[in-house]
Amino acid sequence: MGIRAVERAMAVLQELNLQPINTIAQLHARTKLPKPTLVRILRTLEEAGYVENDARQGGYHVSALVTSLSSGFHKDPLVVEAGRAWAIAMTRKHKWPVAIALPDYDKMVVRFSTVPDSFISPFHSTVNKRLNLLTRGLGLAYLAFLDKEEFDLIVGVLKRSDDPENALSHHPSELARLVEKVHDNGYAVRSSFVEPKNSNTIAVPIIGQGDRVLASIGMTYFKSAFSSEQEACERYAPILKSAANAISEDLDRLTNQLAV
């Protein structure tokens, strides 16, 4: 016979691992556990270092310490943990919202956003938003820095899609020119042909060990705040590149700490 308290704690930890942010109400609905029980379990997990209470986003999320529970962990949440402070700092200084996105098959998924910290955000919420790879800044900033084998594999997947935003996958020459431009600039922007057209996103890749691109980080702004896209890029692209480099360094440090 199992120990009921341990079974409940593991069930909660499993549910926390399924979503970037979890509220008490959401956990109650999924686990059917009483809310007072959930509070006690979450408090225990938080004290043990496996869970963090993010007051900004109004919920709980797992910490990087959960990586010690599984040798199959793939670093993705660790990228977010390494980048969280940098994203928040950029928004506090420059006001615009910043997002960190990770790959998920044929799209990027926003796993962290400073929308709650920005009073001039074009969006109400972006966490869990799925973004196309060929038309969105966060997508292009990731795709353009993949090695050739991964790039070709993903483009092959996009060719089989009916999504109009993947149409560029059928035009290799045009796509190659776009990727070369992103490489030369070191950043990507959202296509002017997709909604919302009153804002834009500037994004850069987050590079891990072995020069492998792991994620992307981007800042979104209202177009009306600048005279041109070039003006916005000249102002914020260097800031994003510097933050991405710092996140890569912090990611290495966190990885080494967990390996000890």
Side-chain angles (χ1 to χ4, degrees):
M1 183 172 64
I3 301 173
R4 185 61 175 158
V6 175
E7 291 176 347
R8 288 179 168 183
M10 293 305 295
V12 171
L13 192 58
Q14 186 176 27
E15 288 296 332
L16 285 167
N17 199 44
L18 295 176
Q19 299 292 337
I21 293 292
N22 300 264
T23 65
I24 295 289
Q26 290 169 337
L27 290 170
H28 170 66
R30 298 204 302 267
T31 65
K32 309 305 180 186
L33 292 174
K35 291 182 180 180
T37 300
L38 285 169
V39 170
R40 289 194 298 271
I41 291 173
L42 289 167
R43 188 174 297 148
T44 301
L45 291 172
E46 189 175 1
E47 290 173 354
Y50 293 106
V51 169
E52 295 178 2
N53 185 359
D54 192 333
R56 293 172 48 264
Q57 302 206 59
Y60 294 83
H61 61 81
V62 294
S63 74
L65 190 59
V66 297
T67 62
S68 64
L69 302 178
S70 172
S71 60
F73 178 72
H74 295 298
K75 289 188 183 178
D76 290 351
L78 202 57
V79 174
V80 175
E81 184 158 330
R84 181 179 290 114
W86 293 100
I88 294 171
M90 280 192 287
T91 295
R92 286 178 177 170
K93 183 173 183 180
H94 303 287
K95 311 310 177 187
W96 301 110
V98 173
I100 299 173
L102 280 66
D104 183 18
Y105 189 51
D106 61 344
K107 287 183 172 60
M108 298 295 283
V109 179
V110 175
R111 293 295 304 271
F112 180 78
S113 169
T114 63
V115 164
D117 300 297
S118 175
F119 65 92
I120 51 174
S121 172
F123 308 107
H124 295 297
S125 175
T126 57
V127 171
N128 290 332
K129 188 176 181 64
R130 297 177 63 80
L131 302 169
N132 289 74
L133 294 168
L134 299 179
T135 56
R136 307 290 167 165
L138 287 162
L140 273 170
Y142 174 81
L143 183 70
F145 289 87
L146 290 173
D147 63 39
K148 186 179 186 307
E149 184 177 356
E150 287 183 289
F151 178 88
D152 290 343
L153 181 63
I154 289 179
V155 171
V157 171
L158 299 180
K159 284 181 178 179
R160 295 190 290 273
S161 167
D162 315 353
D163 191 329
E165 290 195 34
N166 290 331
L168 192 60
S169 63
H170 297 283
H171 304 279
S173 297
E174 188 177 345
L175 177 58
R177 286 194 295 272
L178 177 60
V179 168
E180 183 179 6
K181 179 181 179 181
V182 172
H183 253 289
D184 290 344
N185 291 337
Y187 65 85
V189 296
R190 186 194 308 155
S191 168
S192 60
F193 300 108
V194 297
E195 297 290 344
K197 295 184 178 180
N198 65 340
S199 65
N200 196 3
T201 297
I202 307 166
V204 301
I206 298 175
I207 307 296
Q209 294 177 345
D211 292 329
R212 184 167 182 267
V213 58
L214 301 176
S216 57
I217 182 169
M219 178 182 289
T220 300
Y221 64 92
F222 281 116
K223 292 180 179 179
S224 59
F226 299 91
S227 60
S228 66
E229 179 182 289
Q230 182 179 352
E231 180 190 357
C233 291
E234 287 178 351
R235 180 179 302 183
Y236 296 124
I239 294 167
L240 285 162
K241 290 177 185 178
S242 178
N245 289 334
I247 291 169
S248 296
E249 293 175 3
D250 285 353
L251 179 60
D252 288 344
R253 176 179 52 80
L254 287 170
T255 301
N256 293 334
Q257 286 178 352
L258 291 171
V260 173

